[in-house]
Amino acid sequence: LEGDGNGPVADYLDPRPRDFTLGSYKLRTTESGEPPLDEDLFQTISRGIPGTAMQGFASILSPEERWQVIYFLKSFAADLFEEPPVRAEIGPEPQVSVEKGKEVYQRAKCWECHGQEGRGDGPSAAKLKDDWGFPILPRDLSKGWRYKGGTTLKEIFTRFTTGMDGTPMPSYADSLSEEDRWHLAAYVQSLIREPARGEPVLRAKRMDRPLPRTPDDPLWREAEPLDVPLSGQVVVAPRWQTPSVDLITVRSLYNDKAIAFLLEWDDRFKNTTHTGEPLPVQDTYMQPALARQGSFRDAVEIQFPVQIPQGAERPYFFLGQPGKPVYLWRWKADRNEDAGKGSPVEELNATGPQNPVLSQPPESQEVEGRGVWKHGRWQVVMIRARESQDRERDMVFQTGKLIPIAFHVWDGANGERGLLCAISSWQFLVLESSTPPRVYVYVFLAVIGSFGVEWWLIRWVRSRSAPSRPDSATRG
């Protein structure tokens, strides 16, 4: 009510809401330290801010109502808006070079916060705080959908020119030339990797050789990737509305004996210790600041139904339900670091999010796994025999079937454990059947045969339709 960012749900949001009383705004086309133009505020209110709880109001409020909101929120720091703000100089787009921009990225030490690959995993990433003393993470530059101010070349250049007030992101108007800022914008834009859009089907490719057991094996390049969007677990309490992982990329290969999966996701920090503190007593939703008290491991989980559904019905998409159990492969980063503990993957079963998730007995633990963290990204391989010794608890992987598959990810640095995680809806796994060589021979013979029949038919039709030659008597 006072515009100071301390509303009743502020403690549940990450990042926290803007404090309008300070007159400090991130998204502006004005010089560093200047308040925004009215047009800047109108654009922000209209389209919202990706990666935050600030939604767009273009479809909710009329233009007149949005302008009225702007005039009201400016009243919380009216003295700062008494003089017209100074607009930043932003000229037309020149010819740009990604390679030159990469050189600027190194020279300006952008990697200290954003990392060498731009995934927000630089050596200073864990130390950053905003002007109010709250922890703040550098942007993962590969995720264009989370850019607060837009992803066009001009919009990125504008951020370098104006800075983002209230954050450690400074203005480079004085330290970098205009030309360097344009080249840097081009390089940052080149880092963006938009997720592939398509059918939610993971196609496991058949191999006639042993399956890869490490993430860097070149065989994985032959597998078709599937990008799976993730969201916070808000099904049951404690609900988690601020997950840090929002996308996982999955590949799969199989042969006659086994099936393997490669899972990849961005994670700024490698978390391999787990103190196991219980969740603090909470309301329906968990406060991020309370959740992060402690040390927790990174983890990822693959979920299948125990039995392949015969029709359209499937178990509940998050941890199944009574009578329709699910089968889980859970990889844990702490066990990955300690080879003496055996496989870092644990097989479990669940019958609903409100029921205990039960580990299978030691003799049923068959899944092997290995994870590698590098440049702010986890790559985890999990592999198991296609057949199972425990068919009552495990999935048997059959070719040509639509097998439901889902994924859960925990970021330990974000305080995630237990029900605090990022989850997906059901996707589908298909073990593609190999085509015997004789099928291609049959197709080739069929094509040749059809051409032969067509050639004979054309000759026959032409012979029937051609005029007959007159004989000599007729000519005489």
Side-chain angles (χ1 to χ4, degrees):
L1 293 176
E2 303 298 326
D4 58 1
N6 288 317
V9 300
D11 290 339
Y12 297 87
L13 303 181
D14 185 25
R16 291 178 65 87
R18 175 63 47 202
D19 182 349
F20 295 135
T21 66
L22 298 179
S24 179
Y25 294 86
K26 295 179 182 178
L27 305 180
R28 314 173 331 279
T29 57
T30 56
E31 292 184 354
S32 179
E34 292 283 321
L37 301 172
D38 289 355
E39 295 81 29
D40 298 333
L41 296 174
F42 185 82
Q43 182 172 359
T44 299
I45 290 175
S46 298
R47 75 179 188 181
I49 305 179
T52 77
M54 176 62 186
Q55 68 184 79
F57 286 87
S59 61
I60 301 172
L61 300 178
S62 69
E64 180 183 1
E65 289 172 322
R66 277 174 270 156
W67 282 117
Q68 291 170 347
V69 168
I70 289 169
Y71 296 137
F72 176 67
L73 69 85
K74 287 170 60 178
S75 71
F76 290 118
D79 57 325
L80 297 176
F81 290 93
E82 289 179 353
E83 298 293 331
V86 180
R87 188 188 296 267
E89 293 186 11
I90 302 173
E93 296 181 12
Q95 289 291 110
V96 294
S97 166
V98 171
E99 286 303 315
K100 290 182 179 179
K102 186 175 183 179
E103 294 174 3
V104 178
Y105 186 88
Q106 294 294 325
R107 174 159 42 91
K109 296 185 178 181
C110 303
W111 53 268
E112 288 188 344
C113 294
H114 294 283
Q116 291 291 353
E117 302 292 331
R119 298 194 182 106
D121 63 312
S124 299
K127 309 170 189 175
L128 301 180
K129 293 185 178 181
D130 63 17
D131 286 359
W132 300 271
F134 295 109
I136 186 171
L137 295 173
R139 178 62 49 220
D140 181 341
L141 300 176
S142 69
K143 296 183 175 182
W145 60 93
R146 295 182 72 91
Y147 277 44
K148 290 181 171 63
T151 59
T152 67
L153 191 66
K154 185 176 182 180
E155 288 169 329
I156 297 173
F157 172 84
T158 301
R159 299 286 79 77
F160 295 149
T161 302
T162 66
M164 302 183 76
D165 288 355
T167 79
M169 178 65 188
S171 165
Y172 287 96
D174 296 331
S175 57
L176 293 177
S177 69
E178 181 177 350
E179 181 183 3
D180 281 348
R181 277 177 275 144
W182 279 112
H183 292 320
L184 181 59
Y187 174 66
V188 168
Q189 190 181 52
S190 75
L191 297 175
I192 295 175
R193 174 186 169 271
E194 294 296 342
R197 308 290 183 183
E199 296 180 346
V201 179
L202 175 62
R203 304 183 188 279
K205 184 173 181 180
R206 182 180 178 85
M207 308 295 291
D208 294 323
R209 64 185 81 178
L211 300 180
R213 294 178 177 269
T214 58
D216 59 351
D217 194 305
L219 281 178
W220 287 114
R221 299 173 193 162
E222 300 186 24
E224 179 182 337
L226 174 67
D227 288 334
V228 181
L230 304 172
S231 62
Q233 187 287 112
V234 293
V235 176
V236 293
R239 292 174 172 85
W240 187 235
Q241 70 282 4
T242 57
S244 61
V245 182
D246 55 12
L247 184 78
I248 186 169
T249 301
V250 191
R251 291 175 170 84
S252 183
L253 299 169
Y254 80 100
N255 57 23
D256 288 336
K257 297 181 179 179
I259 185 168
F261 298 89
L262 172 62
L263 303 97
E264 302 175 274
W265 71 96
D266 289 357
D267 187 339
R268 292 178 178 86
F269 310 113
K270 180 181 181 181
N271 302 108
T272 57
T273 59
H274 192 73
T275 56
E277 288 99 335
L279 291 170
V281 176
Q282 266 290 297
D283 301 326
T284 300
Y285 286 88
M286 176 62 66
Q287 293 183 17
L290 290 178
R292 294 175 185 140
Q293 296 176 1
S295 298
F296 309 102
R297 61 177 164 238
D298 296 328
V300 67
E301 185 170 76
I302 308 178
Q303 173 182 284
F304 311 95
V306 172
Q307 301 292 334
I308 300 177
Q310 297 299 316
E313 285 195 31
R314 299 182 291 275
Y316 190 62
F317 77 98
F318 181 55
L319 298 180
Q321 65 198 79
K324 293 182 179 178
V326 293
Y327 170 50
L328 307 166
W329 297 1
R330 183 178 297 173
W331 172 90
K332 303 174 182 178
D334 54 337
R335 291 179 59 169
N336 188 81
E337 297 297 296
D338 190 347
K341 292 185 177 180
S343 173
V345 185
E346 182 180 13
E347 294 180 69
L348 310 105
N349 292 103
T351 56
Q354 295 177 316
N355 295 327
V357 179
L358 302 178
S359 178
Q360 293 189 4
E363 62 271 15
S364 295
Q365 300 288 338
E366 304 175 67
V367 182
E368 300 177 13
R370 179 64 183 164
V372 174
W373 184 90
K374 185 178 181 181
H375 294 313
R377 189 167 179 82
W378 274 113
Q379 295 180 298
V380 174
V381 172
M382 289 191 258
I383 185 169
R384 199 210 76 179
R386 287 175 57 191
E387 294 288 336
S388 172
Q389 301 175 8
D390 192 349
R391 292 200 172 203
E392 292 185 2
R393 299 185 181 94
D394 295 358
M395 162 69 63
V396 175
F397 296 95
Q398 303 177 41
T399 59
K401 299 285 187 179
L402 274 177
I403 302 173
I405 184 172
F407 306 92
H408 312 144
V409 181
W410 291 262
D411 178 6
N414 200 33
E416 296 176 6
R417 72 273 196 194
L419 294 175
L420 305 184
C421 61
I423 66 176
S424 79
S425 60
W426 282 121
Q427 312 292 296
F428 292 96
L429 168 69
V430 176
L431 279 65
E432 295 184 329
S433 301
S434 61
T435 306
R438 63 176 179 275
V439 172
Y440 296 106
V441 175
Y442 294 155
V443 171
F444 176 75
L445 293 177
V447 171
I448 294 299
S450 64
F451 274 118
V453 171
E454 184 177 358
W455 177 80
W456 176 85
L457 184 61
I458 291 172
R459 290 291 301 271
W460 181 78
V461 169
R462 286 178 175 175
S463 66
R464 297 275 295 179
S465 58
S468 57
R469 290 185 177 181
D471 55 23
S472 58
T474 305
R475 289 199 303 268

